[in-house]
Amino acid sequence: MFKYLFAIAFLWMNVTNAQNHSDVACGVFQTSGIRTDAFSLNKHAGLGDIKWKFKTRGKVFSSPAICNGIAYIGSEDYNLYAVNVQTGKLMWKFTTGGAVHSSPVVYKNIVYFGSYDGYYYSLNAATGKLVWKFKTGGERKVGAKGLWTMGPKDQYMEDQFDFFLSSPVLDLNDNDLTVYFGSSDGNLYALNANTGEKKWVFKTNGIIRASPALYRGKVYIGSWDTFLYALDARTGKLEWKFETGNQPVYHLLEGIQSSPTCADGMVYFGSRDGFFYALNADNGKQVWKYGADNSWILTTAAIKDGSVYIGTSDTFLFLAFDAKTGKEKLRFKTNGYIYSSPSIAGNTAYFGDFSGSLFAVDLTTGKLASKVSTAGRTKNAANVLNPKGDVDFNFLAKGMDNSLYATSVTVMNKLYTLGPIVSSPVVSNDVIYFGSADGYLYAVNLN
């Protein structure tokens, strides 16, 4: 069972040269169903040197939004930060009452994001001043007594791979400007983005960690209740739902954390049940699926030129499939779980893994172009990774009782010293930006 305890992923492509236009929403999840290709005007061979790194006081699982010369990102230290992209210096920060694990979206000088304090916020993007905030039914970690049958069975245990909060997505085709997001209370919310007033709410039967996707008048969202839902974007009325796998006793291989991506009449998403799904976006019928050998698929797919790109957890794979047929076209193995969703610029895919490496993979050859390491990986890899250089639960748990929750907590804390990359990278103006569990926001030059 413990092969699967360290597995997760999350997020996706970004439109690389749109970050300086006021009529474009900037954010990792905003691109789903609106733009399906991410292009860079300049061709890059791979990763260069670190331009700068900005230190927060907590782990960074949030993915950055780059807009008008500012990088916006959340941290576990309760803050949303605005950082100058040229200098790496702080411009402002906004303190909430909880960890900021959602990824912000910026539109027309407003930044939207959520916090573990149970509020979703709207701030002035230039000053960080509050515009409005909306209270949900509250945020909490996924967990249970005796989680995954670990001991002691009467102890409440939080899922250590519950990294994210649902991130907001804006409907730019709506005259009222609607913002959508999910919550731990099981609801998908649709608010007036200008005022924060509630338009409608749709209730699922599980915590929502996925971010919504807007496509052809529908909003798509996955829930921990194992269903992907398709709703009318204006009314919240259910159009259809699709059930993924469940595991009644262990509850390990079930639940949707991956956010959906839509293109060419299809909706794509991964699940903790170990499968990646391609559905007909109109009726929810399965077109194809990929089995990941019981690895969670938590990344959000990127789509380019008829190919769909994802990462897996325990199998450490970056994969490409034919978007229509599901035929595998590329595979590249890393050294750890891939929870960082890929960003594509030109013919290169960029993504991080849990060992603390950011990879640049050539999509033509499927080969590594280059990689960079976080500060934590550089310092601690020799003591944390196994002799092959891989993340290895059993290697770190040697001499401990694998059936105890305390063992998984100890191992995870060791892995965190590597500076794992769960944040999804964003490319803008020949620089790639990403967060790390070592607490830094990194800016790395592209060659």
Side-chain angles (χ1 to χ4, degrees), residues 362-373:
D362 187 307
L363 298 182
T364 303
T365 65
K367 304 295 185 183
L368 179 68
S370 57
K371 67 178 180 178
V372 296
S373 297

Side-chain angles (χ1 to χ4, degrees), residues 62-99:
S62 172
S63 301
I66 312 299
C67 190
N68 297 324
I70 302 174
Y72 301 89
I73 198 163
S75 172
E76 200 171 56
D77 67 7
Y78 293 19
N79 290 302
L80 182 84
Y81 292 92
V83 179
N84 185 295
V85 299
Q86 294 301 321
T87 65
K89 301 298 184 183
L90 178 68
M91 299 186 68
W92 56 259
K93 66 178 180 179
F94 181 89
T95 303
T96 73

Side-chain angles (χ1 to χ4, degrees), residues 94-115:
F94 181 89
T95 303
T96 73
V100 181
H101 286 183
S102 83
S103 299
V105 62
V106 185
Y107 181 65
K108 290 189 174 179
N109 203 40
I110 301 293
V111 56
Y112 304 87
F113 69 99
S115 167

